């Protein structure tokens, strides 16, 4: 009886480890489920790859000066255009096109992909020309990932009228996505934590741009703007003085799952850009190439199903022929394969068709023929 209990316990533990190894472990983070295990790294045999090259942009901006030499956004309606001067200015100045800045852009690209937990990616830099090649898995989210690399990452809190920067990302410690369930639905927040210097600045800003205490009191004219990528996300006052060094911004509230997911994705993008350095140069996509894997897509699923079927038949063969000892052997095989797959997950070992076939064939031969 005791031996049977041990066998049952071994089977249960093995099945649990197998499920974790093959399927993974997912936990709910607010409104989305996230995997707690690294994904398998498959070679180009199993996955299509996209190679995109980026180069420093050659774009130019038009700068307008008034008769006193001051920059203006546009010529006022009805003004004499002869009183204004227009010039072209490259977005990347010649003195900024240095190997050091090229390396910073490459590191920022790498950091953003790491922050987004992209399973497979390579970032290569030509230090002479500044050309950066990015290799990603070609799937439904690849275009979005590539677009995310081109953002500058600018973030600041400014005076809404003058545009003067009051605090920027240099004083940010971290930015994360937060959630709260309310009667109106799920509210998604961008939670920004500042360092000690930033906390002091934020406290002073919150005092200067504080909302009036009484409802009848006239609203102050001074407001702050939260600016991301040159666009104002919010223009507001502070309800209270902020002494914690933490600023929580509401991105949106909804009961609709699709809308909530959109808020989460947008907030995750803001957090990713804030948590990584601002790129010192503007880049643009240049060329693109797709490498098709011989076994990508449905072929990969067929291989997985086929291998799993063969493996299941081997276990059944052992159980039918050797009874209890066969069951123990089958459980041991499942445990060994499950642990091997967990090791592959955590070591980020690339699984290739050649090594997979050779390893699997050797293992089956050992089990069936003791060779």
């Amino acid at each position: 009886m005791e031996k049977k209990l041990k066998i049952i316990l071994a089977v249960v533990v093995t099945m649990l480890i197998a499920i974790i190894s093959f399927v993974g472990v997912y936990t709910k983070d607010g409104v989305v489920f996230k995997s707690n295990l690294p994904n398998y790294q498959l070679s180009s045999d199993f996955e299509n790859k996209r190679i995109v090259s980026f180069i420093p942009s050659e774009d130019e901006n038009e700068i307008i000066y008034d008769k006193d030499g001051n920059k203006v956004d546009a010529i006022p309606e009805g003004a004499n255009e002869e009183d204004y001067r227009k010039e072209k200015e490259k977005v990347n100045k010649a003195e900024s096109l240095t190997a050091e800045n090229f390396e910073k852009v490459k590191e920022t690209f790498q950091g953003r992909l790491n922050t987004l937990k992209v399973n497979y990616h390579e970032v290569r830099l030509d230090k002479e020309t500044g050309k950066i090649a990015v290799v990603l898995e070609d799937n439904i989210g690849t275009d979005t990932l590539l677009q995310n690399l081109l953002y500058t990452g600018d973030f600041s809190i400014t005076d809404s009228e003058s545009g003067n920067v009051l605090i920027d990302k240099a004083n940010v410690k971290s930015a994360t996505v937060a959630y709260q369930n309310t009667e109106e639905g799920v509210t998604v927040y961008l939670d920004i934590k500042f360092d000690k210097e930033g906390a002091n600045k934020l406290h002073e800003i919150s005092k200067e741009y504080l909302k009036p205490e009484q409802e009848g009191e006239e609203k102050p004219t001074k407001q702050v703007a939260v600016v991301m990528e040159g666009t104002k996300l919010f223009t507001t006052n502070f309800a209270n003085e902020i002494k914690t060094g933490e600023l929580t911004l509401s991105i949106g509230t909804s009961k609709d799952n699709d809308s909530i997911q959109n808020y989460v994705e947008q907030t995750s993008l803001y957090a990713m850009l804030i948590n990584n350095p601002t790129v010192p140069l503007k880049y643009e996509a240049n060329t693109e190439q797709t490498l098709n894997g011989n076994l990508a897509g449905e072929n990969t699923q067929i291989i997985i199903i086929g291998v799993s079927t063969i493996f299941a038949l081997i276990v059944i063969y052992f159980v039918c022929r050797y009874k209890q000892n066969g069951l123990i052997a089958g459980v041991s095989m499942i445990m060994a394969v499950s642990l091997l797959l967990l090791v592959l997950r955590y070591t980020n070992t690339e699984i290739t068709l050649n090594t997979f076939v050779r390893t699997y064939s050797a293992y089956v031969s050992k089990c069936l023929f003791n060779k």
Side-chain angles (χ1 to χ4, degrees):
M1 183 67 179
E2 184 178 351
K3 187 176 181 179
K4 288 184 179 181
L5 289 176
K6 289 182 178 179
I7 293 175
I8 294 173
L9 180 60
V11 171
V12 172
V13 172
T14 300
M15 291 300 103
L16 180 61
I17 294 176
I19 292 172
I20 293 173
S21 177
F22 283 92
V23 180
V25 178
Y26 294 84
T27 55
K28 192 173 184 179
D29 182 9
V31 296
V32 296
F33 285 91
K34 292 185 178 180
S35 174
N36 293 326
L37 298 180
N39 289 327
Y40 297 113
Q41 300 294 330
L42 301 178
S43 72
S44 56
D45 291 330
F46 295 97
E47 296 288 348
N48 295 331
K49 297 292 188 295
R50 182 111 55 101
I51 304 175
V52 180
S53 66
F54 297 88
I55 59 174
S57 176
E58 294 288 338
D59 290 346
E60 294 181 331
N61 290 330
E62 184 178 69
I63 310 298
I64 304 175
Y65 297 91
D66 61 17
K67 61 183 179 180
D68 297 322
N70 300 315
K71 286 185 180 181
V72 295
D73 294 332
I75 299 176
E77 187 177 352
N80 186 358
E81 293 191 9
E82 294 182 356
D83 292 335
Y84 294 84
R85 174 170 49 91
K86 297 180 180 179
E87 292 184 2
K88 295 289 185 179
E89 183 180 88
K90 287 186 176 295
V91 295
N92 293 322
K93 296 181 179 179
E95 59 269 22
S96 300
L97 298 173
T98 63
E100 182 181 1
N101 280 339
F102 295 154
E103 185 66 32
K104 286 181 179 179
V105 176
K106 182 228 177 185
E107 292 176 356
T108 302
F109 279 14
Q110 184 75 61
R112 290 179 180 180
L113 293 172
N114 290 338
T115 301
L116 294 171
K117 297 181 179 180
V118 179
N119 296 323
Y120 174 88
H121 62 270
E122 294 180 48
V123 183
R124 304 165 187 165
L125 168 67
D126 182 343
K127 293 185 178 181
E128 296 295 326
T129 63
K131 181 178 179 180
I132 296 176
V134 178
V135 185
L136 297 170
E137 292 181 1
D138 188 17
N139 53 46
I140 193 172
T142 303
D143 289 332
T144 301
L145 286 174
L146 293 170
Q147 180 60 47
N148 290 346
L149 296 179
L150 294 175
Y151 290 115
T152 61
D154 289 329
F155 167 78
S156 61
I157 297 176
T158 68
D159 183 282
S160 63
E161 291 187 0
S162 67
N164 293 332
V165 176
L166 305 174
I167 189 172
D168 59 24
K169 66 190 295 183
N171 295 121
V172 174
K173 186 186 297 182
S174 66
T176 56
V177 183
Y179 316 90
Q180 183 180 11
N181 290 309
T182 64
E183 293 182 357
E184 291 77 19
V186 176
T187 302
V188 182
Y189 297 95
L190 176 63
D191 188 59
I192 305 172
K193 295 181 180 179
F194 293 86
D195 58 19
K196 186 176 180 180
E197 180 183 354
N200 292 332
K201 288 183 180 180
L202 184 62
H203 183 210
E204 294 300 319
I205 294 169
S206 66
K207 287 194 298 183
E208 184 176 355
Y209 295 84
L210 194 65
K211 283 184 179 180
E213 295 182 359
Q214 299 180 3
E215 293 184 2
E217 188 176 342
E218 184 180 352
K219 291 185 178 180
T221 57
K222 296 181 67 175
Q223 291 184 314
V224 296
V226 178
V227 181
M228 193 84 204
E229 291 293 312
T231 302
K232 292 182 180 180
L233 301 183
F234 309 97
T235 301
T236 185
N237 307 106
F238 292 93
N240 302 290
E241 291 184 21
I242 301 178
K243 302 178 181 180
T244 61
E246 185 172 349
L247 179 63
T248 303
L249 303 173
S250 174
I251 303 301
T253 302
S254 179
K255 293 182 179 180
D256 179 67
N257 288 334
D258 290 338
S259 298
I260 295 171
Q261 185 62 35
N262 289 335
Y263 289 140
V264 171
E265 291 176 359
Q266 189 65 49
T267 310
S268 298
L269 173 62
Y270 293 151
M272 181 273 291
L273 294 175
I274 293 173
N275 287 326
N276 286 275
T278 302
V279 291
L281 298 169
K282 182 179 179 181
Y283 268 67
E284 61 186 22
N286 183 32
T287 61
E288 185 174 311
Q289 179 183 4
T290 300
L291 299 179
N292 294 319
N294 298 324
L295 303 173
E298 294 182 358
N299 291 329
T300 301
Q301 297 178 3
I302 293 172
I303 291 176
I304 293 174
I305 294 173
V307 170
S308 301
T309 301
I310 294 173
F311 192 79
L313 292 175
I314 293 173
V315 174
I316 293 172
Y317 167 78
F318 275 119
V319 174
C320 293
R321 179 163 182 178
Y322 300 106
K323 307 302 180 184
Q324 184 172 294
N325 290 335
L327 176 61
I328 295 173
V331 170
S332 300
M333 288 173 60
I334 296 173
M335 176 67 80
V337 172
S338 300
L339 293 176
L340 174 61
L341 292 176
L342 285 175
V343 170
L344 293 178
R345 280 181 182 267
Y346 280 100
T347 57
N348 290 324
T349 302
E350 187 177 80
I351 302 173
T352 66
L353 179 62
N354 183 42
T355 55
F356 176 80
V357 171
R358 290 176 60 185
T359 302
Y360 184 75
S361 299
Y363 187 71
V364 170
S365 177
K366 181 71 175 176
C367 291
L368 293 179
F369 310 109
N370 195 27
K371 294 182 180 180

